[in-house]
Amino acid sequence: MQQITGPRADRMTIGELSQLTGVNIETIRYYEKIKVLPVALRAENGRRVYGPTERRILAFVRRSRELGFSLDEVRALLRLGGPDKASCREVREIAARHLDDIRARIGDLRKLERLLTKTVAQCTGTTAPDCPVLDILDVQGSK
Amino acid sequence: MQQITGPRADRMTIGELSQLTGVNIETIRYYEKIKVLPVALRAENGRRVYGPTERRILAFVRRSRELGFSLDEVRALLRLGGPDKASCREVREIAARHLDDIRARIGDLRKLERLLTKTVAQCTGTTAPDCPVLDILDVQGSK
DNA sequence: CCTTGATCCTGTAGTCACTACAGGATGTAG
DNA sequence: CTACATCCTGTAGTGACTACAGGATCAAGG
């Protein structure tokens, strides 16, 4: 009688999982502790054992984090993609909200980029008594 | 005999400084502790007293933080703008490096925006068995 | 003079998403 | 059998704050 998880070849240690997914070992344990990942099965010696399902979940978490989702959002997405993967609508809402955040951040950063570019351009780079960078930062009422 | 700091009207409490600069009281004390701000003078009752100079410094710190400089960078800028404000070149270098960071971040965010936009657009919003958002996140080898 | 409420003080702990390390128990190769 | 790698738990550190506990002091009103 085999395990449901499949053949031996698919069962891996935390180190192997780390290599395959590019997620730090300590981070994997951390994800388990804060319930982003399910509690891992243990071998007889007490070490964590992972299968392809865990690998898929962790890859999903990693990708989501790369896309800037918070761990809270990732937890929500995992719940929605889980057993009763009912509401694609909810998933879309989370992603759309996140997209709004990203657009706002891009806008802020570009404003900032323009300001800094302009300022640095004024800079001669020589030793000067009135540095425009310090000046622009120094203005008190410019918010 | 007057204090060097000037007339009474310019001397303010931490609460007033907080109001004027928009920086949280706890944050001001925090900045002092980690040496972003100089140690504040104290009144006879032990309370912190601030003058226009401190106000200018704190406004500078606030502005820099808004522009995304780290507190380490702010400390460096303050040092450079301080007693011997010699090297505008160094200031420019810090600002330029920071600008590179900002541009890189904008690039990343825009890539991410395109990907998420495309994906969310594919979403019908109805209850579907294969949600494209979860799908795109689910792909294991797409790094 | 006394009370009330605002403001201040110090110090500690919590946040997010990890990372790093201490100190110990196993596993694997030569 | 001895190295050395890998794993385990648990705690503490990071950056830039925020929040709170527990106490002192101040300003205004009765």
Side-chain angles (χ1 to χ4, degrees), chain A residues 86-90 92, chain B residues 118-133:
Chain A
S87 181
C88 178
R89 205 188 61 250
E90 287 182 70
R92 207 202 47 151
Chain B
K118 221 176 55 188
T119 312
V120 171
Q122 283 167 30
C123 208
T124 57
T126 59
T127 299
D130 47 342
C131 176
V133 176

Side-chain angles (χ1 to χ4, degrees), chain A residues 40-51:
Chain A
L41 294 173
R42 299 294 182 121
E44 284 178 12
N45 53 19
R47 298 188 172 188
R48 290 174 180 82
V49 183
Y50 299 95

